[in-house]
Amino acid sequence: MSNIFSIKLFFVRRQLFFFSFLLLRAFPGHGQDGALSGTITSSGLPLPYAHVLLEGEDTGTAADSSGNFLINGITPGQHLIKVSAVGFRPATKHLRISADKKNHVHIDLQPEDLQMNEVVVTGTLTEVNRLETPVPTEVYSPGFFKKNPTPSLFDAVQQINGVRPQLNCNICNTGDIHINGLEGPYTMVLIDGMPIVSGLSTVYGLSGIPNAMVERIEVVKGPASSLYGSEAVGGLINVITKNPSGAPLFSADVMGSTWQEFNADFGHKFSLGNKASVLTGLSYFNYSHPIDNNRDGFTDLTLQDRVSMFQKWNFTRNKNRLLSVAARYLY
């Protein structure tokens, strides 16, 4: 009996296998998607955090710290891939994606020699090349400020010609920023194009923003009131923070001085699914050791215990549109 049962079971398995084979032949590749991996370099060296966009799929990603990327769920067929990074010329390449084999691409980006081709948003409220903006806009990268480290952006902007931070109260450590000699209330400070703190923007606007979160700073010297109102008669400073997709997973910047000043900046990013990414920054500054070298009864440096937190949420929408929500807390 056992032999007969085994033979019947064997024939049943052969029939199921044959039926499955006919279904696969009738619907080849049904439900199968392709995947694309790749490496982004510049002059043979890995280029981290470059943006990769696959046209026609409304999908994209960012390269990791080693310049590698991976995109899943791609419809097999002909596609156009676009790769871009700040400071490099964008590149495009036509690819054919297959579902039955590995798809890998290597793209080498060339450095952008002309700084005038940088993309700016301050002069026109939209992203345009620097050559095309009707309002002269100066762009400063974090590397410009790292040459002379400071505990806050308020102190850092004094390295820019025509921009002068002025400390008005040594006791409460408040001041404002003058552009081309005009008073602080006529200078507007923006974060990602959003005005903050109204007329007191130059007093509190640049304090407590972690330097590691800054992608670039755009400065307009002169009247910009036609776009931003009367608060921008003297000029404006637009702090552009990093896109969460291209920001490092974790960053830390700690600084101290012989006067027992202590400053710490921390940054962190994480993603919530495929549609939302979050960038968080925390800044802490403390100086609680009074020094009175001139013996006038007042400390030479204002006592401070400052905490600031900044968080930005980016939501990916259809047709590569983006919704960004940001909040900032300063104590």
Side-chain angles (χ1 to χ4, degrees), residues 142 192 211-216 240-248 251 279 312 314:
D192 292 327
N211 294 337
M213 294 180 56
V214 177
E215 178 74 25
R216 66 184 186 273
I240 309 295
T241 59
K242 290 184 177 180
N243 190 316
S245 62
S251 62
L279 181 65
K312 181 170 71 171
N314 278 1

Side-chain angles (χ1 to χ4, degrees), residues 3 18 111 255:
N3 293 334
F18 184 71
M255 186 183 71

Side-chain angles (χ1 to χ4, degrees), residues 204-236:
Y204 302 107
L206 295 180
S207 297
I209 300 179
N211 294 337
M213 294 180 56
V214 177
E215 178 74 25
R216 66 184 186 273
I217 295 180
E218 299 180 3
V219 179
V220 174
K221 301 174 186 176
S225 55
S226 59
L227 289 175
Y228 297 94
S230 59
E231 296 177 14
V233 171
L236 63 91

Side-chain angles (χ1 to χ4, degrees), residues 25-84:
R25 295 290 295 177
F27 303 98
H30 179 72
Q32 296 182 0
D33 291 329
L36 175 65
S37 62
T39 304
I40 311 300
T41 61
S42 178
S43 302
L45 299 176
L47 184 62
Y49 313 122
H51 296 278
V52 182
L53 176 65
L54 202 63
E55 280 204 347
E57 292 288 313
D58 288 334
T59 184
T61 185
D64 59 16
S65 57
S66 301
N68 300 316
F69 70 90
L70 175 64
I71 303 178
N72 293 311
I74 304 175
T75 304
Q78 196 75 19
H79 294 276
L80 176 65
I81 183 175
K82 292 185 176 181
V83 180
S84 61

Side-chain angles (χ1 to χ4, degrees), residues 17 50 97-98 123 171 176-177 196 204 230 247-248 259 277 284 290 293 300:
F17 175 79
I97 305 299
S98 301
I171 298 176
D176 53 16
I177 299 176
I196 57 174
Y204 302 107
S230 59
W259 276 32
S277 55
Y284 176 70
N293 290 331
D300 294 342

